[in-house]
Amino acid sequence: MWQWIRIAMAGLVLFAISVVVLNGSWHAPAPADPQRRLLSHRGVHQTFDRTNIANDTCTAERIFPPTHDLMENTLPSIKAAFDAGADVVEIDIAATTDGQMAVFHDWSLGCRTDGKGPIRDHSMEELRALDLGYGYTVDRGSTFPLRGKGIGLMPTLSEVFAAFPQGRFLINYKSHDAYEGILLAALIEANPDVRRALWSAYGGTEPTERANELIPDLRGFTSTGTRYCLIGYVLLGWSGHIPVECRNTHVMVPINYTWAMWGWPDLFHQRMAAAGSDIILIGPVEAGETGTSGIDTPELLKTIPDTFDGYIWTNRIELIGPLVTSEVL
């Protein structure tokens, strides 16, 4: 009996070694001209301490000492991101009571502005009158370095597209309201020229899936779909199987889990490209953490393989952009 157990164990070891060897990155040729494209999360914005952040944490109350006056999701912020080298800028939208799409990060107004209540309960005229810098503080409310500097800065999505006709944008739905997907599709139908600016959409499942149905080739994605994609690939990717959730989409991969992606980086890239998907490399993901961290330091940037061909998600485009540009040059 023990002899058969030893044979079985040896067979399992050989199988495991074969799986690892057959899924080595070297089984795919390195991209001839790998492109590190930059995805700027929120544009150039005020960064903050991410320690123990929950879904209801007001991040404006924990910003680092400002080195600039820019606020996320505003036209100056977006312009600064493109100027720093962003290929795509991520922005957040919410429907207003008058059927427009306001560009603003939070679900409600009380954290960052001098307004109150959910953003979707207000008209665009009301939102435009708010001070977007009202709530930012470094010292728990003793001083407010941006107060008074954000009055009238909240744009609509139409205004963003008009201001940056050559830009590309990732739209983030904060709600689970399919109506917002319909609004986005209606905007594209009324203004076909801005379709090229809409790189993709993600966030709430209902609006994202509705937008995917109504806007050809959108390839929007959700956190649930991303999770199933990565779990399915970890479980079965060694066989070459690509889960349906990984097909014709954008696949977000945390940098601290790339070791679990069979064939990382070159074979993984080849498989995703064959499935019609781009790779978005994001920052480390830790248990219990909310939000999306980015590639935000030079040290983390240096850990990305030279042959990586995909999008780098960053919260610090003003820092990371020039570093990537200098590498390319």
Side-chain angles (χ1 to χ4, degrees):
M1 180 182 70
W2 295 111
Q3 181 180 2
W4 288 110
I5 291 176
R6 286 195 294 270
I7 292 173
M9 291 180 65
L12 287 173
V13 170
L14 287 174
F15 175 75
I17 293 173
S18 298
V19 165
V20 171
V21 170
L22 291 175
N23 282 278
S25 178
W26 58 84
H27 285 288
D33 184 24
Q35 299 294 313
R36 292 187 172 194
R37 288 151 288 181
L38 292 164
L39 199 163
S40 173
H41 183 217
R42 304 189 189 187
V44 178
H45 62 281
Q46 303 298 323
T47 54
F48 49 85
D49 182 3
R50 298 182 60 87
T51 307
N52 298 323
I53 286 182
N55 284 327
D56 58 352
T57 300
C58 176
T59 56
E61 295 178 347
R62 49 165 66 197
I63 63 169
F64 297 121
T67 58
H68 56 76
D69 291 341
L70 297 174
M71 286 161 270
E72 59 200 45
N73 285 293
T74 62
L75 297 184
S77 163
I78 295 168
K79 180 180 185 303
F82 283 128
D83 288 347
D87 296 281
V88 177
V89 175
E90 186 264 8
I91 55 178
D92 310 275
I93 65 169
T96 65
T97 57
D98 51 348
Q100 299 193 61
M101 284 176 284
V103 178
F104 185 72
H105 179 268
D106 297 349
W107 172 262
S108 60
L109 296 165
C111 170
R112 301 178 195 282
T113 81
D114 49 346
K116 294 181 180 180
I119 188 172
R120 62 191 294 120
D121 290 349
H122 296 267
S123 70
M124 198 62 220
E125 182 180 3
E126 293 168 334
L127 295 170
R128 191 96 66 185
L130 299 176
D131 178 8
L132 303 190
Y134 188 86
Y136 286 89
T137 180
V138 179
D139 45 20
R140 300 187 179 185
S142 295
T143 59
F144 295 88
L146 300 178
R147 185 167 288 186
K149 298 179 179 181
I151 300 173
L153 291 187
M154 190 184 301
T156 65
L157 183 59
S158 295
E159 290 168 341
V160 169
F161 285 159
F164 304 98
Q166 302 304 314
R168 305 202 75 193
F169 294 92
L170 170 61
I171 305 302
N172 183 13
Y173 290 114
K174 293 293 185 177
S175 80
H176 291 279
D177 187 352
Y179 169 65
E180 293 189 355
I182 296 173
L183 273 182
L184 181 61
L187 172 63
I188 299 299
E189 184 176 3
N191 303 276
D193 289 344
V194 305
R195 174 61 184 90
R196 71 159 305 281
L198 179 60
W199 183 71
S200 191
Y202 80 117
T205 300
E206 293 83 357
T208 302
E209 291 185 347
R210 192 72 177 118
N212 279 347
E213 293 171 2
L214 297 173
I215 303 173
D217 303 319
L218 180 59
R219 298 197 300 163
F221 57 102
T222 66
S223 58
T224 300
T226 296
R227 184 165 57 252
Y228 285 145
C229 162
L230 296 183
I231 291 174
Y233 186 77
V234 169
L235 293 176
L236 295 173
W238 56 269
S239 68
H241 173 73
I242 308 299
V244 65
E245 294 85 0
C246 295
R247 297 177 179 273
N248 298 311
T249 189
H250 304 282
V251 179
M252 299 180 77
V253 180
I255 195 168
N256 57 329
Y257 284 98
T258 54
W259 60 268
M261 300 297 113
W262 297 104
W264 180 266
D266 297 338
L267 183 59
F268 180 79
H269 171 264
Q270 183 185 73
R271 288 171 172 173
M272 292 301 116
S277 295
D278 295 311
I279 303 167
I280 304 174
L281 187 64
I282 65 174
V285 172
E286 307 298 342
E289 189 178 71
T290 62
T292 305
S293 66
I295 309 300
D296 297 336
T297 66
E299 293 75 21
L300 202 54
L301 182 65
K302 289 178 181 177
T303 67
I304 300 176
D306 292 339
T307 59
F308 174 74
D309 193 342
Y311 291 85
I312 297 172
W313 179 289
T314 181
N315 295 296
R316 296 292 311 280
I317 185 65
E318 70 277 18
L319 172 64
I320 300 301
L323 294 175
V324 171
T325 302
S326 66
E327 287 180 1
V328 172
L329 295 178

